[in-house]
Amino acid sequence: MADEPTMTQKLLTEAVGTAFLVFIGVGSVPATLMINGAAPFTMADLGMISFAFATIVVATVYAFGHISGNHINPAVTIGLAVTKKFPWSQVPAYLGAQVVGAMIGAAAILGVLGHKASDVGLGVASYSGISAAQAFTAEFVGTFILVMTVFGVIHRKAAAGFAGVAIGLVVFAAIIPVAPATGASINPARTFGPMLVQQLAGGTVHWRQLPVYWAAELLAGALAGLLYGVMSRTPADRVAAFSDERVAA
């Protein structure tokens, strides 16, 4: 009996995993602001938000990684496709599932926290007081570090069993310096889902910023995957790749 999940199961898993990421990670932002009230936002608050993102990433890697790979981020999917570790034919479906999941996760934030969550921004990633170039740089660097780490932990020589912890920790670390600039989306689905739900809820959304986030994040995903290949490829990898090409031909 085949032991491989169906495409439908993989897409459902990507949607659920991304919904979890947005509900827990993004949802921690309005939750923090609502609890704080008029109190100033502090580094401790940022640390707790980063920790929320990290813990849900760790959980989903171990819970869903064996089903869909737990990409839950279009930048990861694109990086894997560019490096031929994931079929391009499945990319549109994966990206669609991730975006739908992000929308569901954002809607769940409203369902749990109410309209006050929208009043404090719903955790939508945005930037102000900086240029588009600086915002692009911030999202590019954060996403690049994340995707590079993903490639490192899935490498055939990587220590087994630590992928979830490593990815969770790098998410925690990347958010700290990037969030003050752009909110540290570092995920195109996480960028779009809350924006759309916030718009539907009647909140203010800066749609002109979306191309900056998407361009930075997707480009970073592709380049991180390609650079990791340059850094890690050995003669054995080249022989295996050549053999695979001959079989495919």
Side-chain angles (χ1 to χ4, degrees), residues 13-211:
T13 301
E14 282 296 305
V16 170
T18 311
F20 284 8
L21 172 70
V22 171
F23 176 71
I24 298 296
V26 178
S28 68
V29 178
T32 299
L33 295 174
M34 290 167 62
I35 291 173
N36 278 359
F41 189 84
T42 68
M43 178 59 80
D45 295 324
L46 178 56
M48 289 304 298
I49 291 169
S50 301
F51 186 66
F53 273 100
T55 52
I56 193 60
V57 167
V58 172
T60 56
V61 167
Y62 292 120
F64 304 138
H66 60 285
I67 302 175
S68 69
N70 197 59
H71 299 186
I72 62 173
N73 185 335
V76 173
T77 302
I78 291 297
L80 292 170
V82 166
T83 54
K84 300 181 180 179
K85 297 181 181 297
F86 187 77
W88 277 106
S89 62
Q90 296 182 20
V91 168
Y94 259 60
L95 266 55
Q98 292 157 359
V99 169
V100 169
M103 294 164 54
I104 293 172
I109 297 171
L110 282 178
V112 172
L113 298 180
H115 205 275
K116 288 184 178 179
S118 176
D119 293 339
V120 295
L122 198 66
V124 171
S126 63
Y127 59 89
S128 62
I130 63 174
S131 67
Q134 184 178 343
F136 180 96
T137 301
E139 286 297 313
F140 180 91
V141 171
T143 309
F144 188 90
I145 293 171
L146 168 60
V147 178
M148 178 75 78
T149 302
V150 170
F151 270 80
V153 299
I154 65 174
H155 190 270
R156 59 186 176 82
K157 292 184 177 180
F162 292 96
V165 175
I167 297 171
L169 287 175
V170 79
V171 167
F172 179 91
I175 288 175
I176 299 298
V178 177
T182 61
S185 172
I186 60 178
N187 181 329
R190 176 263 186 266
T191 303
F192 178 78
M195 289 181 76
L196 180 60
V197 172
Q198 175 71 337
Q199 179 76 65
L200 295 175
T204 300
V205 178
H206 303 291
W207 286 106
R208 67 183 182 279
Q209 296 182 359
L210 181 62

